[in-house]
Every structure is written in structure tokens, then in C-alpha cells.
Amino acid sequence: MPGSAATAITIKDFAFGAPITVSPGATVTVTNEDTAAHTVTADQGQAFDAKVKGGGGTATFTAPSKPGSYAFHCTYHPDMHGTLTVK
């Protein structure tokens, strides 16, 4: 059952955590528990791009309105990858 946890990405230890599934157009909250700043940037096009300060910083972005699977990465740390599913 969807709840607030289903629309959150927590960055910890230079990882995005488990893939999340959100509704089209949902507001996604990103919390960064690392000391370094990170981004949540869509791999394809400009579906979303959120910059998050380190040390507990938060940011939000709007999920794409088109259902599908959206791979994303951190522009500062190219080894960080995640997936956002919209359905």
C-alpha cells in the first residue's frame, strides 16, 4: 500500500537505496545522509534533476507523468545509480 515512504529516496553510504515506485506526477523527497552533496539526475532527457546538500539535506522533485522505468545517477559520483518506477 503506498505511503509517504514509497515516495522517498534516502541516500546513504554513496547509494540510493532500494528502487522505488511512485504514481505519475508524485512529489518525491530525497534525503541525503552522506556528508557529500549528491544529485538525483535522470539518465535520459530531463525527466528530473534534484541537487541535495550533504549532512541531512533534503530536496524534492516531481516524478514524470508518463509511466515507465527511469534510471538515474549522481552527476558528482558516476558510480551511483538508481531506478525510479512510475506506474
Side-chain angles (χ1 to χ4, degrees):
M1 178 161 259
S4 59
T7 58
I9 296 171
T10 300
I11 301 170
K12 185 175 181 180
D13 299 327
F14 288 79
F16 291 112
I20 66 166
T21 300
V22 299
S23 300
T27 298
V28 180
T29 301
V30 184
T31 302
N32 182 1
E33 295 184 359
D34 288 343
T35 55
H38 295 296
T39 72
V40 178
T41 306
D43 287 1
Q44 299 292 319
Q46 298 176 331
F48 50 88
D49 184 13
K51 292 173 180 61
V52 194
K53 292 181 180 178
T58 61
T60 60
F61 66 89
T62 302
S65 57
K66 182 179 176 187
S69 191
Y70 295 84
F72 60 86
H73 63 279
C74 173
T75 57
Y76 306 135
H77 307 98
D79 290 341
M80 291 177 62
H81 297 277
T83 303
L84 175 71
T85 301
V86 177
K87 68 176 185 178

